[in-house]
Amino acid sequence: LAAVGVTRYKSKELSRKQSQQLELLESELRKEIRDGFAELQMDKLDVVDSFGTVPFLDYKHFALRTFFPESGGFTHIFTEDMHNRDANNKNESLTALDALICNKSFLVTVIHTLEKQKNFSVKDRCLFASFLTIALQTKLVYLTSILEVLTRDLMEQSSNMQPKLMLRRTESVVEKLLTNWMSVCLSGFLRETVGEPFYLLVTTLNQKINKGPVDVITCKALYTLNEDWLLWQVPEFSTVALNIVFEKIPENESADVCRNISVNVLDCDTIGQAKEKIFQAFLSKNGSPYGLQLNEIGLELQVGTRQKELLDIDSSSVILEGGITKLNTIGHYEISNGSTIKVFKKIANFTSDVEYSDDHCHLILPDSEAFQDVQGKRHRGKHKFKVKEMYLTKLLSTKPSSSLLGKHPEEPPVCL
């Protein structure tokens, strides 16, 4: 009788504890969903007024980046302004070549002959098309007629029996020519009409995305437009206001440059993510970028008379079970509001701070709850139960920023 009584009592206690845990879990889920809908209805997108100067490129650099995206060794050929040269000094051979290029039958035959060569690779075809576009950029009507002939020949090839698959990959001269031709024709339209709205759209989306956590390994974010890239394993995070002091460098000696600025970061941001936000804040404040690249600078925490360099990985990094290294964050260094961080120029060779691999993690932790620190001590932590559907409202809260391309706020968001 005593054993039966004890067993029933323990069973009731276990049932009571399970009920309490379920009620607590339901309460947390209701709160998360309620907060999500409240944010969706009340949160306003705080667009920074100063986006800085829209970084339009002049036509020469626009064309070079479009025609030679890999920045090969050919771009230096066109850095010299050819229009200032005397036309009488032009080489006779170049004049003869120009006459041949302007012969439609000859040019089409040359292109077809080159494409039949087995050693004429895809890269060679793209380079040939880019050089040809530069040679004919002042004769767009003639270039258009060449494109018509080459496109018709491409359609009539026996290997292109499925029209839907055409032009999907740039594997022929005509495909690269078509891409370059469209870029040349749209350059003025992009600069004068849609360039600024698109720049505003991208900048605003970046601001919205950076308001929440972003996993630097998987690139998943709490605020995103795509459910597949939703960071639903979101940790608890808070905003940290930092006082940033930029070291003076020769490239930025203007007296108008503000070197002491305040930057808001998240305590779950890695050091690399903090650098990006600091650079963006410098651009928004001064209207011009800092004189160094991200991999050329370091961050140093100022604590009284002591300084500590901040790195994504150092001797204090947490090592998870299985040898996986967790990237350091602002919260890892216990940086509080109002802390002063100095931006300095690295002396060593400039390399990427961290080469991320499967041995690193940031916000999305491995399945195992056990991990050990640098001293080898094992720790256990409990992962808070989360449901992906709780954070689907974040998708809706991000979409209004895409309505910046519309003429009126009441228009539906643009589908990206």
Side-chain angles (χ1 to χ4, degrees), residues 46-58:
D46 298 326
V47 181
V48 176
D49 295 333
S50 176
F51 288 94
T53 305
V54 180
F56 286 119
L57 297 174
D58 56 37

Side-chain angles (χ1 to χ4, degrees), residues 106-372:
F106 172 80
L107 185 57
V108 172
T109 303
V110 166
I111 293 175
H112 286 328
T113 303
L114 287 175
E115 289 191 325
K116 292 179 181 179
Q117 307 300 317
K118 294 182 179 180
N119 58 350
F120 195 57
S121 64
V122 174
K123 183 178 180 180
D124 296 333
R125 298 179 185 187
C126 292
L127 286 175
F128 178 81
S130 296
F131 283 121
L132 185 59
T133 307
I134 292 176
L136 298 177
Q137 61 182 334
T138 58
K139 304 173 183 178
L140 285 181
V141 176
Y142 174 67
L143 179 59
T144 305
S145 64
I146 295 295
L147 273 173
E148 291 178 357
V149 175
L150 294 176
T151 305
R152 190 180 301 111
D153 294 342
L154 181 64
M155 295 171 61
E156 293 175 355
Q157 289 181 7
S158 58
S159 59
N160 291 324
M161 299 302 294
Q162 297 181 353
K164 294 182 179 180
L165 301 181
M166 286 183 58
L167 306 178
R168 285 199 173 186
R169 291 182 294 181
T170 308
E171 294 183 345
S172 62
V173 174
V174 62
E175 289 173 311
K176 182 61 176 177
L177 272 177
L178 179 61
T179 302
N180 295 342
W181 177 81
M182 292 186 63
S183 300
V184 171
C185 295
L186 290 175
S187 60
F189 176 73
L190 290 174
R191 186 181 185 91
E192 299 171 4
T193 307
V194 300
E196 185 174 352
F198 267 117
Y199 180 75
L200 178 65
L201 170 66
V202 173
T203 307
T204 306
L205 284 175
N206 284 334
Q207 289 181 10
K208 182 64 177 179
I209 291 172
N210 289 333
K211 288 179 64 177
V214 179
D215 186 80
V216 74
I217 304 296
T218 63
C219 297
K220 292 187 176 182
L222 176 62
Y223 296 104
T224 180
L225 295 173
N226 191 333
E227 181 182 353
D228 294 335
W229 294 94
L230 176 64
L231 181 65
W232 61 273
Q233 307 95 326
V234 56
E236 296 181 358
F237 64 95
S238 59
T239 303
V240 181
L242 303 177
N243 296 323
I244 307 298
V245 179
F246 285 86
E247 182 181 62
K248 190 173 183 180
I249 58 174
E251 292 83 352
N252 274 335
E253 293 186 349
S254 175
D256 298 333
V257 174
C258 180
R259 303 190 180 281
N260 298 335
I261 62 176
S262 178
V263 180
N264 290 332
V265 299
L266 302 179
D267 59 353
C268 59
D269 285 341
T270 64
I271 306 304
Q273 289 175 322
K275 286 183 183 180
E276 294 177 358
K277 292 183 178 181
I278 290 172
F279 263 44
Q280 185 59 45
F282 184 92
L283 175 62
S284 300
K285 183 71 174 179
N286 297 293
S288 60
Y290 193 53
L292 299 174
Q293 301 297 323
L294 278 176
N295 60 347
E296 297 177 340
I297 69 161
L299 300 183
E300 194 174 66
L301 177 63
Q302 308 284 331
V303 183
T305 58
R306 296 181 294 106
Q307 297 84 28
K308 179 177 179 59
E309 185 177 0
L310 306 179
L311 299 171
D312 282 332
I313 295 179
D314 58 15
S315 58
S316 66
S317 300
V318 175
I319 308 298
L320 306 180
E321 190 175 27
I324 298 178
T325 303
K326 191 174 186 296
L327 301 182
N328 297 338
T329 61
I330 297 296
H332 170 80
Y333 286 106
E334 299 180 352
I335 300 175
S336 58
N337 280 314
S339 298
T340 300
I341 292 182
K342 179 183 177 182
V343 178
F344 66 94
K345 181 178 180 180
K346 292 181 180 180
I347 301 177
N349 293 331
F350 305 133
T351 57
S352 179
D353 291 338
V354 177
E355 295 294 339
Y356 301 128
S357 64
D358 295 337
D359 296 331
H360 299 97
C361 70
H362 178 204
L363 299 177
I364 301 180
L365 303 180
D367 296 334
S368 176
E369 296 181 356
F371 63 91
Q372 60 184 8

